[in-house]
C-alpha cells in the first residue's frame, strides 16, 4: 500500500484501533490527514483533512485515536494545546488551551472510560482529563523531575498508568479513584453519579487512594517510550535514548489485589 507524498514532514501515523483497520490518521506539521486503505487499490485514498489555524508555525507533536465512539474521535497535541477531532467531518470538537505549562509530548485514552484522556509534557506533569468538561484536569501527577515523554494506560486494568521521563525513570501509578473499577468492579459514570442507587457498603466505603506503585530506575538515560504488552496485562516495556530496552512486571502483590 502506497501513500501519496505528504504535504509536509510526517510527525506520526496512528492506526484505527478497532474495526477492519482500513483507516489511518497521519500528522504532517500543521495538517491532520485521514487515509482510507482500500483493498481494491494499491494506493491509500485521502478521505479527509484539517489544518491548525493560528499565529506562528503550528505543528502537531502527538496524536491518539480514541477506541470509543465507534472510532470517530482523535486527540492531537500541538505546543501546549490538546484538541479533539471528529473524523467524520474532520472538525474540532474540543480544545484544551494551555493544557500543560510547556510542550505536550504524549496522549492516551482510557480504554474503559470513553471520555477520559491522559496527557504528559515538558512541565514534568501528567494530567487526566474528562473531555466533556476541559476547564480543569480531573487529576494531576507531579512525580517526575524532568520532561515526561510517554504515558500509557493498561489495556485491561485502567487504574494502572505508566509514565517515562527524561529523569531516566519509569513510574507505575495506581489511579484507582478515576478508573472504571474504583470499588473493585466495573462501573460507569452514570452509576457513580446516582448516589441513591449505590449499595450501603459502597456509600460508607473510604474514598480510593491514588498512589505511586513503583519507580523503576534501570535506565541511565532519558526514557522516551513506555508501553504495555498486548498479550500479558501485567508486563510492560520501556525504551531509553541509549538504546536500552527494559521489560518489567507489575508487582505480584498488586496483581493479586486487583484480581481478588
Amino acid at each position: 500500500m502506497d501513500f501519496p507524498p505528504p504535504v509536509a514532514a510526517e510527525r506520526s501515523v496512528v492506526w484505527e484501533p478497532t474495526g477492519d483497520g482500513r483507516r489511518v490518521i497521519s500528522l504532517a506539521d500543521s495538517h491532520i490527514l485521514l487515509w482510507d486503505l482500500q483493498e481494491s487499490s494499491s494506493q491509500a485514498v485521502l478521505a479527509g483533512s484539517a489544518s491548525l489555524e493560528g499565529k506562528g508555525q503550528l505543528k502537531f507533536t502527538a496524536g491518539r485515536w480514541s477506541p470509543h465512539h465507534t472510532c470517530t474521535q482523535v486527540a492531537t497535541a500541538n505546543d501546549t494545546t490538546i484538541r479533539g477531532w471528529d473524523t467524520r467531518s474532520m472538525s474540532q470538537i474540543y480544545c484544551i488551551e494551555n493544557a500543560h505549562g510547556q510542550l505536550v509530548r504524549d496522549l492516551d485514552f482510557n480504554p474503559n472510560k470513553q471520555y477520559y484522556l491522559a496527557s504528559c509534557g515538558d512541565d514534568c506533569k501528567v494530567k487526566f482529563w474528562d473531555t466533556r468538561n476541559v476547564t480543569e484536569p480531573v487529576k494531576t501527577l507531579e512525580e517526575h523531575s524532568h520532561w515526561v515523554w510517554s504515558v500509557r494506560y493498561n489495556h485491561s486494568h485502567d487504574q494502572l498508568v505508566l509514565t517515562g521521563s527524561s529523569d531516566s525513570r519509569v513510574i507505575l501509578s495506581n489511579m484507582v479513584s478515576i478508573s472504571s473499577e474504583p470499588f473493585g468492579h466495573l462501573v460507569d459514570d452514570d452509576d457513580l453519579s446516582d448516589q441513591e442507587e449505590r449499595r450501603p457498603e459502597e456509600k460508607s466505603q473510604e474514598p480510593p487512594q491514588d498512589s505511586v506503585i513503583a519507580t523503576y530506575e534501570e535506565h541511565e538515560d532519558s526514557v522516551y517510550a513506555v508501553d504495555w504488552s498486548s498479550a500479558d496485562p501485567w508486563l510492560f516495556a520501556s525504551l531509553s535514548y541509549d538504546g536500552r530496552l527494559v521489560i518489567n512486571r507489575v508487582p505480584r502483590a498488586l496483581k493479586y489485589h486487583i484480581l481478588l
Side-chain angles (χ1 to χ4, degrees):
M1 181 70 67
D2 295 326
F3 288 83
V7 295
E10 294 286 358
R11 177 66 187 181
S12 65
V13 176
V14 187
W15 286 87
E16 184 179 19
T18 60
D20 56 14
R22 285 177 49 187
R23 297 191 302 165
V24 172
I25 285 285
S26 65
L27 304 178
D29 284 348
S30 63
H31 304 278
I32 178 170
L33 309 173
L34 174 64
W35 302 94
D36 186 356
L37 311 184
Q38 298 182 359
E39 295 181 3
S40 59
S41 174
S42 61
Q43 191 172 59
V45 175
L46 183 62
S49 66
S51 300
L52 291 173
E53 297 181 358
K55 297 180 180 179
Q57 294 183 337
L58 302 178
K59 294 183 179 181
F60 288 111
T61 55
R64 199 73 174 170
W65 204 316
S66 171
H68 310 293
H69 312 288
T70 62
C71 290
T72 58
Q73 294 187 14
V74 172
T76 62
N78 66 282
D79 196 18
T80 62
T81 301
I82 298 172
R83 303 173 193 270
W85 305 85
D86 188 325
T87 59
R88 294 167 296 186
S89 60
M90 296 306 292
S91 59
Q92 185 174 292
I93 51 178
Y94 58 82
C95 179
I96 313 175
E97 295 184 352
N98 300 313
H100 285 263
Q102 298 181 51
L103 185 72
V104 181
R105 292 280 178 183
D106 198 19
L107 305 166
D108 198 28
F109 281 97
N110 185 313
N112 298 331
K113 297 188 75 172
Q114 60 181 331
Y115 297 106
Y116 277 62
L117 173 70
S119 63
C120 62
D122 287 1
D123 58 0
C124 312
K125 298 178 182 180
V126 179
K127 296 186 179 183
F128 299 87
W129 306 90
D130 184 335
T131 59
R132 296 167 297 183
N133 182 5
V134 296
T135 54
E136 294 288 340
V138 178
K139 287 279 184 177
T140 300
L141 296 181
E142 301 184 50
E143 302 296 337
H144 286 287
S145 60
H146 208 266
W147 303 348
V148 187
W149 283 82
S150 185
V151 57
R152 286 292 180 269
Y153 277 104
N154 185 284
H155 305 308
S156 302
H157 307 285
D158 57 48
Q159 64 265 56
L160 302 179
V161 178
L162 277 176
T163 55
S165 166
S166 296
D167 62 11
S168 306
R169 297 185 299 161
V170 174
I171 294 180
L172 174 61
S173 299
N174 184 18
M175 303 304 298
V176 63
S177 72
I178 56 173
S179 76
S180 61
E181 303 180 53
F183 300 104
H185 63 281
L186 286 172
V187 297
D188 58 30
D189 292 340
D190 293 334
D191 293 332
L192 290 177
S193 65
D194 193 346
Q195 297 288 337
E196 295 182 354
E197 292 185 3
R198 287 187 183 181
R199 295 196 295 270
E201 61 269 25
E202 289 182 348
K203 292 182 181 179
S204 61
Q205 192 169 358
E206 288 288 328
Q209 298 297 315
D210 300 328
S211 62
V212 171
I213 299 166
T215 300
Y216 302 88
E217 300 184 351
E218 294 98 334
H219 292 282
E220 297 178 357
D221 213 326
S222 298
V223 179
Y224 284 165
V226 294
D227 215 341
W228 293 94
S229 166
S230 59
D232 184 342
W234 312 109
L235 195 66
F236 60 89
S238 54
L239 180 66
S240 56
Y241 176 76
D242 57 7
R244 177 175 293 183
L245 176 68
V246 178
I247 308 294
N248 274 301
R249 286 188 176 277
V250 172
R252 181 173 296 181
L254 176 65
K255 171 183 176 179
Y256 290 130
H257 177 75
I258 292 174
L259 291 177
L260 302 177

